[in-house]
Amino acid sequence: MPKLGISRGSNLLPLTLIIFTLLIQNGSTAARTTTNSNLHFKEAPQFYNSPRCSALNSSENAVHVAMTLDIAYLRGSMAAILSVLQHSSCPENIIFHFVASSSTETASLNLIIKKSFPYLHYTIYPIQDIAAVAGLISTSIRSALDCPLNYARNYLADLLPQHLQKVVYLDSDLILVDDIAKLAATPLSGDSVLAAPEYCNANFTTYFTPTFWSNPSLSLTFANKNRKPCYFNTGVMVIDLVRWRAGDYTTKIVEWMELQKRMRIYELGSLPPFLLVFAGNIAPVDHSWNQHGLGGDNFHGLCRDLHPGPVSLLHWSGKGKPWARLDANRPCPLDGLWSPYDLLQTHYTLES
């Protein structure tokens, strides 16, 4: 599947016109969606392997994808799953690993997934001790970032089957427009545990408080001359689970979270512990695989444009989510790229 070539300039105006035409056509039903407690989703089409795909006879020739599942973001998760399957050359070889916040939610989530994706290969893993995870969380700049499930990525190596060697982790507020097998094939050279797009032009110091930088024993974390830390977004990562387990990286992340409870060294939820442990030792991934920030900043969620260059994955990180803005009839232009993957059945559709 070729990359979706979206660029600034002459190509953007026709795209914007198309998007707003679609929104006008669908706007009357978009505002009348169901509440989170009563979600109904359509059945997605079934996608089949191309002739060149090998049969899924073992875990080795599968692409393993980890995501979280909860009611609040379920609409986004369903769209993300559909986008992964639709743009894959070998969709029957994709195995999903969903993490849920509790076993009580698992049954209802399982029914929803089975109804919309009856052919999907997947398992749902509840976090057994959600209270312990919640107890490690410090309040951040936005309450949505303080959900225990937002920290599930810390524990994937413990939750997922021990025989799994590599997994692609995806957030629920994104869609793919390229073959996920390309992302999964990212080489993790040297001793890298993670692969992700890095953004070295970002002001790295702003992710930590003055308390952190004024304490020599803490700021020396990044003093190694061989370690050049850069920001990376944890919503899209390729993780070597073997190296993670061997290095006991869950414990290292938890230790930083415990320190944060005693003295505030960062403000932004689950990201800073990952930066503290991994920044400067990340295997590179092309920026097309995380066109992030489409949800705007963490306070206002204002509309944003794409970064220059090709697009393989669009990520609505930030406060604004495309489904919420579409429902409110206040969409950003790029939210129209998400709407074709929305499986939610509106009241209008259900009544028809």
Side-chain angles (χ1 to χ4, degrees):
M1 185 75 188
K3 292 181 180 179
L4 177 63
I6 303 174
S7 60
R8 300 176 188 266
S10 60
N11 290 334
L12 184 59
L13 181 57
L15 175 64
T16 304
L17 291 174
I18 292 170
I19 289 170
F20 276 110
T21 300
L22 290 171
L23 292 176
I24 290 170
Q25 292 172 347
N26 297 312
S28 61
T29 59
R32 293 183 288 172
T33 54
T34 56
T35 62
N36 283 340
S37 61
N38 189 30
L39 295 174
H40 298 277
F41 294 95
K42 296 175 286 189
E43 182 175 333
Q46 185 169 359
F47 299 96
Y48 298 91
N49 282 357
S50 65
R52 67 174 180 82
C53 300
S54 56
L56 183 61
N57 52 22
S58 72
S59 180
E60 294 180 1
N61 57 6
V63 172
H64 294 276
V65 180
M67 297 177 64
T68 58
L69 278 184
D70 69 338
I71 295 300
Y73 280 79
L74 185 57
R75 190 172 169 188
S77 301
M78 300 291 278
I81 297 165
L82 176 59
S83 74
V84 169
L85 297 173
Q86 182 169 326
H87 295 282
S88 172
S89 298
C90 304
E92 296 175 85
N93 290 10
I94 299 175
I95 299 176
F96 285 88
H97 304 269
F98 300 121
V99 180
S101 59
S102 67
S103 55
T104 56
E105 263 195 0
T106 299
S108 58
L109 291 170
N110 187 52
L111 289 174
I112 293 172
I113 295 294
K114 278 189 175 298
K115 180 180 177 182
S116 290
F117 301 99
Y119 47 81
L120 198 68
H121 303 289
Y122 73 94
T123 305
I124 301 178
Y125 308 83
I127 298 177
Q128 298 300 329
D129 196 352
I130 197 72
V133 176
L136 290 168
I137 298 173
S138 301
T139 55
S140 63
I141 60 175
R142 185 161 61 91
S143 59
L145 300 176
D146 302 336
C147 170
L149 207 56
N150 196 40
Y151 291 78
R153 69 200 85 189
N154 300 359
Y155 304 96
L156 289 177
D158 301 320
L159 290 168
L160 301 188
Q162 292 295 301
H163 69 270
L164 287 190
Q165 299 182 2
K166 181 192 285 189
V167 69
V168 178
Y169 175 81
L170 300 176
D171 270 353
S172 298
D173 53 357
L174 54 77
I175 58 169
L176 275 74
V177 290
D178 204 344
D179 193 339
I180 195 171
K182 299 177 186 177
L183 178 60
T186 301
L188 281 84
S189 56
D191 59 352
S192 296
V193 178
L194 303 181
E198 287 186 293
Y199 304 88
C200 294
N201 59 338
N203 186 352
F204 191 81
T205 61
T206 61
Y207 292 97
F208 303 96
T209 64
T211 300
F212 175 87
W213 293 114
S214 63
N215 188 321
S217 63
L218 298 178
S219 59
L220 283 173
T221 302
F222 300 113
N224 187 331
K225 64 179 181 179
N226 296 320
R227 185 182 185 187
K228 298 179 180 178
C230 295
Y231 163 78
F232 66 95
N233 182 281
T234 53
V236 180
M237 299 184 290
V238 182
I239 305 174
D240 187 318
L241 295 172
V242 176
R243 291 178 182 173
W244 183 294
R245 295 179 184 117
D248 195 15
Y249 285 101
T250 297
T251 298
K252 293 175 182 177
I253 289 174
V254 167
E255 287 174 348
W256 282 112
M257 292 176 67
E258 290 173 339
L259 179 61
Q260 165 76 351
K261 296 287 285 188
R262 299 196 299 271
M263 53 186 297
R264 199 164 183 86
I265 58 174
Y266 54 80
E267 304 287 355
L268 194 63
S270 62
L271 170 64
F274 267 79
L275 296 178
L276 287 160
V277 174
F278 295 111
N281 191 21
I282 299 291
V285 175
D286 189 87
H287 287 182
S288 66
W289 283 103
N290 196 351
Q291 282 267 357
H292 68 285
L294 303 185
D297 59 54
N298 279 302
F299 295 103
H300 305 293
L302 301 176
C303 296
R304 287 186 177 174
D305 199 358
L306 290 172
H307 309 292
V311 180
S312 294
L313 184 151
L314 297 103
H315 187 185
W316 279 261
S317 57
K319 182 179 181 180
K321 302 307 174 188
W323 55 89
R325 295 193 293 216
L326 286 164
D327 287 355
N329 280 328
R330 299 179 62 184
C332 292
L334 291 175
D335 294 344
L337 297 175
W338 179 89
S339 59
Y341 301 94
D342 187 10
L343 289 173
L344 185 71
Q345 289 182 304
T346 63
H347 285 310
Y348 175 82
T349 305
L350 289 170
E351 290 167 3
S352 298

